[in-house]
Amino acid sequence: MATPLPTTTTIAGPDGKTRTNGNLKLNLVGLELKDYDGSPSTLCVGCGHNSISNQIVRVAYEMALKPHEVIKLSGIGCSSKSPAYFLNRSHGFNSLHGRMPSIATGACLANHTLRAIAVSGDGDTGSIGIGQFKHLVRRNVPMVYIIENNGVYGLTKGQFSPTADIGQVLKYAGTNEFRPIDLCMEALIVGCGFVARSFAGDAKQVRELLKAALSHRGTAVIDIISPCVTFNDHDESTKSYSYGRTHEEPLHEVTYIPAYQEITVDYEPGTAVDVEMHDGSHVRLKKLDTTYDPTDWLQAVQVLREAETTRQIITGLIHINPNQPTMPDLVNIADQEPLAMMANEKLRPSRAQLAALMRGLA
């Protein structure tokens, strides 16, 4: 977590302006919390998506991200409007329905130094975009992939999405007869190295998972249950606020600790310990009474399958494998100058080279 600078400190922010901290709480790159805001939201009041955007703003501030080093990506839908509501100084691309993963893959290869934050929905990812989603995950494109999951197509008036509960009844859509797709399970099956689930009403857990995801080298998928207050917030829906609060089953308490130097602790399941940080602050760590190991892929699959049969919402870090090579590693560009930064003479053949190539093909 970024520590506020001393009152007397004067620093140059990324916008080139010199700032004196004074009463402002500047982070390590000289920005205030409001510097990470986006445009005012046009989503419904109470929408879970707005809560997620607010947590992204806070996390970016606390982690002292430089907005100009971030690219935001999205497809189509209520969820895909969300990038407009955070990090107004970053790059952004709002693509077509279900096509965001291919755009994101190209962007991350063209400039692998950017931090990519993608926001999609259960329809955008689980229906028209599921093929692209699975190929992005198996390639391990370095990015945070947030799914704002409400079980309906909210932008087109509340039809069932692929994650809608079987037997769910909606006023204008009737009864859903089909089993839902579990997008965390889909990510696991194709080998995702960071899979998590959270609930928009659990702001602290969302923040800590976002911090961990932003620190992961490969694809980090976070499926966030995000209630649609207009079409799908009734008590029987597993995507509602009331159901989420009642049936959320966290695997553990999640607390992200920035990496300065190694801090190790040893404590028993079900107990807690205070760890003093380098700036004098403390982090409280707690293990729940469980033997769950997020590095165990098979156990992750089993816990999701059991949650489906009991209609529980399992939240927390479901699976992590930080040792998988990323796509830039695999295509040997991770240590190279980004393609987007190269001069034309490095990217395009000269007229003479092109003429010679054409003669060789004739």
Side-chain angles (χ1 to χ4, degrees):
M1 183 180 295
T3 305
L5 299 173
T7 303
T8 57
T9 299
T10 300
I11 62 176
D15 56 2
K17 297 179 181 179
T18 301
R19 303 183 180 196
T20 300
N21 173 293
N23 293 323
L24 300 178
K25 292 183 178 179
L26 303 185
N27 63 12
L28 292 179
V29 295
L31 296 178
E32 302 172 61
L33 180 61
K34 69 178 183 180
D35 292 326
Y36 292 90
D37 285 341
S39 303
S41 175
T42 60
L43 297 175
C44 303
V45 175
C47 177
H49 299 0
N50 288 332
S51 176
I52 296 168
S53 295
N54 292 338
Q55 303 319 315
I56 294 173
V57 168
R58 181 168 168 183
V59 164
Y61 165 74
E62 291 180 355
M63 295 187 72
L65 300 187
K66 297 178 180 178
H68 67 281
E69 295 179 352
V70 174
I71 180 169
K72 306 175 296 185
L73 302 129
S74 64
I76 293 294
C78 289
S79 59
S80 295
K81 297 171 68 177
S82 293
Y85 310 141
F86 59 85
L87 302 189
N88 66 82
R89 302 180 184 187
S90 60
H91 307 280
F93 196 104
N94 180 230
S95 66
L96 300 175
H97 201 192
R99 303 301 188 265
M100 178 269 287
S102 56
I103 300 295
T105 300
C108 291
L109 289 181
N111 189 350
H112 57 270
T113 66
L114 292 175
R115 289 176 181 262
I117 300 176
V119 182
S120 185
D122 39 304
D124 192 46
T125 292
S127 183
I128 191 171
I130 194 165
Q132 295 213 1
F133 168 68
K134 298 186 83 164
H135 285 294
L136 177 142
V137 170
R138 78 178 182 87
R139 290 170 178 147
N140 204 19
V141 179
M143 63 186 298
V144 178
Y145 193 115
I146 300 168
I147 304 166
E148 296 182 334
N149 186 349
N150 57 22
V152 296
Y153 288 97
L155 195 62
T156 52
K157 311 308 179 194
Q159 302 93 329
F160 297 116
S161 86
T163 67
D165 309 317
I166 188 169
Q168 180 176 330
V169 178
L170 292 177
K171 184 175 182 181
Y172 299 109
T175 302
N176 178 42
E177 304 293 347
F178 304 104
R179 288 182 57 186
I181 290 176
D182 186 331
L183 294 172
C184 285
M185 183 73 84
E186 296 296 328
L188 279 174
I189 294 302
V190 288
C192 187
F194 185 109
V195 182
R197 173 169 283 141
S198 193
F199 172 56
D202 190 345
K204 179 181 183 298
Q205 187 189 66
V206 170
R207 285 196 303 273
E208 299 306 302
L209 288 172
L210 283 171
K211 291 175 185 177
L214 283 164
S215 301
H216 183 70
R217 289 189 67 245
T219 306
V221 173
I222 309 180
D223 178 34
I224 305 179
I225 305 302
S226 179
C228 175
V229 293
T230 301
F231 297 108
N232 196 20
D233 195 29
H234 52 89
D235 292 345
E236 294 76 22
S237 170
T238 61
K239 310 300 189 295
S240 66
Y241 279 114
S242 59
Y243 196 97
R245 292 191 184 98
T246 305
H247 296 85
E248 181 185 8
E249 292 290 339
L251 295 169
H252 34 232
E253 289 188 7
V254 182
T255 303
Y256 173 76
I257 306 173
Y260 296 108
Q261 65 187 42
E262 186 179 11
I263 298 174
T264 60
V265 295
D266 186 20
Y267 55 100
E268 295 301 317
T271 64
V273 64
D274 280 335
V275 181
E276 183 173 355
M277 304 302 291
H278 301 81
D279 59 357
S281 62
H282 289 73
V283 174
R284 189 164 182 79
L285 305 174
K286 184 177 181 181
K287 290 182 180 178
L288 303 184
D289 290 312
T290 177
T291 58
Y292 185 76
D293 177 7
T295 65
D296 186 334
W297 181 88
L298 184 58
Q299 190 176 17
V301 171
Q302 289 173 334
V303 78
L304 287 180
R305 183 68 184 92
E306 291 169 2
E308 180 185 359
T309 60
T310 58
R311 290 173 63 87
Q312 297 294 315
I313 301 173
I314 295 297
T315 65
L317 183 56
I318 296 170
H319 179 62
I320 186 167
N321 177 5
N323 300 318
Q324 297 178 186
T326 66
M327 189 171 187
D329 296 327
L330 295 172
V331 297
N332 300 313
I333 65 169
D335 298 321
Q336 306 298 320
E337 180 184 7
L339 296 173
M341 305 299 182
M342 290 183 180
N344 278 340
E345 53 267 25
K346 287 188 176 181
L347 296 172
R348 302 173 64 181
S350 66
R351 286 183 177 273
Q353 290 170 324
L354 185 59
L357 176 64
M358 295 304 293
R359 285 196 299 269
L361 296 175

